[in-house]
Amino acid sequence: MAHFDTEYQRLEASYSDSPPGEENLLVHVPEGSKCKMYSRPHIDFYNLHQKNGFTCMLLGEIFELVQLVFVVAFTVFLANCVDYDILFANKFVNHTDSSKVTLPDAFLPVDVCSARIHDNVFVIFILIISGVFWLHRLVKFIYNICCYWEIRSFYINALKMTMADIPYFTWQEVQARIIEIQKEHQICIHKKELTELDIYHRILRFKNYMVAMVNKSLLPVRFCLPLLGNTVFYTRGLKYNFELIFFWGPGSLFENEWSLKPEYKRGGNRLELADRLSSRILWIGIANLLLCPVILIWQILYAFFSYTEVIKREPGSLGARCWSLYGRFYLRHFNELDHELMSRLSKGYKASSKYMNCFMSPLLTVVAKNVAFFAGSILAVLIALTIYDEDVLAVEHVLSSITLLGVCITICRSFIPDKHMVYCPEQLLKVILAHIHYMPDHWQGNAHRYETRDEFAQLFQYKAVFILEELLSPVITPFILIFCLRRKSLEIIDFFRNFTVDVVGVGDTCSFAQMDVRQHGHPAWMSAGKTEASIYQQAEDGKTELSLMHFAITNPHWQPPRESTHFISLLKEKVHREAAAVQQGVIAENPAFTSTHSQSDSEPRSLIANLLMGPPSLASLHLGREGSINPVSIGVSEGASALHSISPVSTSLHLRGSYPSARLTDARTISSGSSAWEGQLTSMILSEYASTEMSIHALYMHEMHKQQSRGEVSRHTWHRQESDESSESVNEDIEAARNFPRSSTFPTTSHQEGPAQQSSSQRRYGGASDPVSGSFRAQRTPRMPMGGWSEENQMGRHHDPVPEEGSEDELPPQIHKVQHASVNMKQW
C-alpha cells in the first residue's frame, strides 16, 4: 500500500464498548398497573413514520420480495420458454379449428422448457445467486417485521397514535411527543431527558459521516476523464459498497450500530489498520468484479421493466432532470432528515429546471425545429391514413413508425426553448441558492457562463444520465474500489479517529454532526474569532454554520451550546436589523439587500421582500405571541417584523418560547382528535415560515461570506492546480492569496504555498496569530477537487505525519465525552 502523509489532529475519544446503559436497552412504557417493556432499534421510529405506518411498511416489504421473484422468473421464462419464430410469424402453426395464431401457441411445452433451463449452466447460476439473495432478503424481512411490530406497539401504547393516524402527523409532532413522554414517564430507563439532537444523531449517525466525507472530499467520486473532462460518478451501488466497508459489513470499522471499534480510536497502529482496510477494500472490489455479470443483468432488467412503459407514455421524461445522488450529499446539512432534504430540494426544482433551460444551443434549436417539422409531417400522414382505414395498421412497421416518430418529435421539442422564457440566470441562481443553501463562490456573478451550467449539471442531472450511470455502476464500481478507494485507506482511518466523539447516551458520532462552531467552524463563514479549528478540522462551504442555523430553525425547542447560541443570536440580530433597513430604504451596502438584489435589470428590486412575505397562500396569516393564527397583512413594509415574530430560533429577547409552545399545543390538539385539519394547516404554515427564514439566512450568510472575500485574490475556476513546489517565483503571490477562502468541494485554482513554519500551537489552529492584534490568519493548503490531495503530487507534500502513539496504547485511555447543554443522559 502506498504511504500517505496526513495532518489530521487526533481527538481524544471514548473507549467504552457501548454507550452507558445501552448493553440491554429496553423501553419502559407505563400502562395502568402494568409495565410493558419494548426493545427498539434507534432508527425504526423514523422509518415507520415515513412509511406511513405498519401496514404500508409491511405491504411494501412483501411486494419487494414478490417483485424480485417476478423479475427473475419472468426473465427466465422469456429466455427459455417462448418460441419467437411463431411470435414473429416466421413459422406457421397448423390449427384444426382456426387459422388465427394465439399467444399460447408461442409458448413451449413444459417438458421442453424445463429441459432448456436444465441444460443452460448460466441460467442455473443466475437462479442460485438469485435464490440466495432472496433468502437473505426474506430473513431481513422477518427481522424487520419483528422490530416494527414492537415500534407499532410503542406508537399505540406510549405515544397514543394509531397506525391510521400516523400519515397525518408530522415528524416534528412525533418527536415532540417522544420528548414529552420521556419527561413525564421516564420511558427510557437510562436517561433523564431527550433532546432533538439526540434523536437526530441516532437516526443519522452513518449519514452524517457520509456527508462529512463528501464535504472533506474523502470519497473518490470526482474524476478527470479524457474527452469527458471533470465528471462525478456516485451511484447507489457505489454508495452501498462505501457503507458496507465503513459501517455494517463484515470487518467494518463499527462493531455495532453505535460504537466504533476500539482499535480505530488509537493512533499507534494506524498504518496496520490502513493496510487491513486496504486489503478488505481489495477483496470487496474483487467480489464486485466477480458478481458484475449478475448485477449488470439485474440492473438492465430492472431498468427495462421500470422505465419502458414510462418512456412510451412520456418520451420526454428522459429529458427531465433530477437531483443526483452526489448532489444530495453535497447539499445536505448535517443532521438533516431525508424528508427535510427532499422538501428543500423539491422547492428548488422548478427554478433549477428553468436555469438549466436558459442554456439552449441556438444551432441545436434550429436543427430540432426542422427535424420536428419533417417527422411531424410524416406522422400526420400516417395518422390520417389510419383514421381513413384502420387496415393501414396491419401493414408491416407502420405502428412502429408512428411510435418512433412520436418519440422523435418529443425529443426534438425538449431542445426548443419556450418562446415566452426570459433570460435571467443570475436571478434564478439566487432563487436556487435560497432553497439549496450551498453554492460555490465562483458561481455568483457567473451564472450566464456554460462552465457554471456544467458544474451545476453535476448536481442536477438528466434522468437519462442517472439511468445510464446506474447501468454502468456494476462495471465501474469494482475499479473505483480497487484503484481509487484503496489509496485513501490511511486518510479514512485518520478521519474516523479524528472526527469521532463519544456523546453520552448516544454513542460514537461524527464530530461534525455536533455543529460546534468552535471545533469545526470556518473563519470565512462568520465564525472568525469564534472557531479554534485548524484547516483540517474546518467544514468546507460553511457546512457547520449553515447546518447549525437549519437545525435550530427546524427544531425550535433545541437548546444549543453557549457558543452556538451566541452565533445564532448574533446572526439573527444582523438579519433582522438589515432586513428592517431594507424596508426603510437604507439599501446601500448591507448584505441582506445585496444578497437578494442581482445585477440583472429583469430581477425584482428585492427578493428578500418576496421571501419575507412568504407563500401567497400564507400571506394573510401571522402567528401571534400566544400561538394563535390571526389574520393580518404581511406586506413588504411589515416583512421584518413578521420574520421577527415567527422566528423559531429566537432567544429570550426574540420570542424564544412562543413558537415552540404553539407547536406543542398543536401536537396536543391533534392527539385529542379535535381538529386534525387545523393541526395540519398550522404545521404547514409553521414549516413554510421556517423554510422562508432559513432561505433568508442562507442568502445573508453567503453574501457576508462574499463580502468578507471581497478584495482578496479571485480564483474563479473549478479546479485547483498544484504548482511546482520547487518554484520560488510565486512566493509573493502566495502571501497575497493566503487568506482567500476556498471551497474543497467546488475548489478554485491556487498556487502552491510554501512550507509552513509554525509552532505546534499554530499548526493546531491551522494558521498564525498576530501577536499584537490577536487576529487570526488562516493558512490554506492547495487541494484537489472536492478537497482530495492530488494523486500525482501526493508524494511531494511535506506535511508532518500524525505521530505514532504506540506507548499511549498501554496507558489508560482518556475519555472524551460530549454532553449537550442542559442534558445529562444515557442511551434511550
Side-chain angles (χ1 to χ4, degrees), residues 323-359:
W323 296 102
S324 66
L325 184 60
Y326 167 77
R328 296 181 187 185
F329 276 92
Y330 171 74
L331 300 173
R332 188 169 194 154
H333 294 296
F334 294 121
N335 300 309
E336 184 175 21
L337 295 172
D338 292 343
H339 75 278
E340 296 171 350
L341 173 67
M342 294 313 301
S343 174
R344 184 162 59 87
L345 295 184
S346 297
K347 292 175 182 177
Y349 182 89
K350 185 176 293 186
S352 300
S353 298
K354 290 182 179 180
Y355 173 75
M356 297 302 291
N357 290 336
C358 289
F359 296 88

Side-chain angles (χ1 to χ4, degrees), residues 170-437:
T170 66
W171 171 251
Q172 299 300 328
E173 292 160 352
V174 174
Q175 182 174 263
R177 289 209 184 182
I178 294 175
I179 296 174
E180 281 300 307
I181 291 294
Q182 168 67 15
K183 291 178 181 178
E184 296 174 5
H185 300 293
Q186 290 293 303
I187 60 174
C188 300
I189 298 175
H190 303 290
K191 285 181 64 67
K192 291 183 179 179
E193 290 184 346
L194 270 177
T195 67
E196 292 83 354
L197 191 58
D198 299 331
I199 299 174
Y200 275 68
H201 277 167
R202 288 173 176 82
I203 297 173
L204 300 169
R205 188 190 310 271
F206 296 152
K207 288 185 179 179
N208 280 328
Y209 275 108
M210 295 295 289
V211 172
M213 284 190 282
V214 169
N215 182 259
K216 298 299 289 184
S217 304
L218 200 58
L219 300 178
V221 295
R222 294 190 59 85
F223 308 94
C224 184
L225 303 177
L227 301 179
L228 297 179
N230 298 299
T231 60
V232 171
F233 187 83
Y234 192 33
T235 62
R236 290 180 292 188
L238 187 58
K239 172 178 171 287
Y240 178 86
N241 278 275
F242 286 157
E243 295 175 348
L244 177 71
I245 293 169
F246 300 146
F247 303 124
W248 53 266
S252 64
L253 280 62
F254 278 73
E255 61 182 353
N256 47 47
E257 292 183 349
W258 57 80
S259 180
L260 189 69
K261 291 181 179 177
E263 59 265 27
Y264 291 98
K265 301 176 183 179
R266 296 186 289 267
N269 57 343
R270 54 194 289 269
L271 296 178
E272 177 186 348
L273 294 174
D275 287 333
R276 191 189 308 172
L277 178 61
S278 177
S279 300
R280 188 181 310 119
I281 294 173
L282 175 62
W283 284 111
I284 292 179
I286 293 174
N288 274 268
L289 198 59
L290 295 176
L291 293 175
C292 173
V294 179
I295 301 175
L296 180 61
I297 292 174
W298 168 259
Q299 292 281 68
I300 294 174
L301 292 174
Y302 188 82
F304 177 77
F305 292 145
S306 300
Y307 299 112
T308 301
E309 186 274 334
V310 177
I311 295 173
K312 180 182 180 301
R313 178 167 39 89
E314 300 177 7
S317 60
L318 292 179
R321 290 184 176 269
C322 62
W323 296 102
S324 66
L325 184 60
Y326 167 77
R328 296 181 187 185
F329 276 92
Y330 171 74
L331 300 173
R332 188 169 194 154
H333 294 296
F334 294 121
N335 300 309
E336 184 175 21
L337 295 172
D338 292 343
H339 75 278
E340 296 171 350
L341 173 67
M342 294 313 301
S343 174
R344 184 162 59 87
L345 295 184
S346 297
K347 292 175 182 177
Y349 182 89
K350 185 176 293 186
S352 300
S353 298
K354 290 182 179 180
Y355 173 75
M356 297 302 291
N357 290 336
C358 289
F359 296 88
M360 291 291 184
S361 171
L363 180 61
L364 194 58
T365 300
V366 173
V367 174
K369 286 182 178 179
N370 287 274
V371 172
F373 172 77
F374 297 138
S377 302
I378 300 174
L379 180 62
V381 172
L382 292 177
I383 292 177
L385 292 175
T386 302
I387 295 175
Y388 178 76
D389 190 348
E390 63 180 9
D391 292 335
V392 174
L393 293 176
V395 178
E396 189 175 11
H397 300 314
V398 169
L399 187 59
S400 301
S401 300
I402 293 176
T403 303
L404 292 177
L405 288 171
V407 171
C408 179
I409 294 172
T410 304
I411 295 175
C412 289
R413 285 177 179 173
S414 65
F415 293 102
I416 302 174
D418 184 4
K419 62 181 179 181
H420 301 294
M421 183 182 67
V422 179
Y423 184 76
C424 51
E426 290 292 345
Q427 177 190 359
L428 288 172
L429 209 58
K430 288 290 184 184
V431 176
I432 294 170
L433 176 60
H435 294 297
I436 67 176
H437 301 167

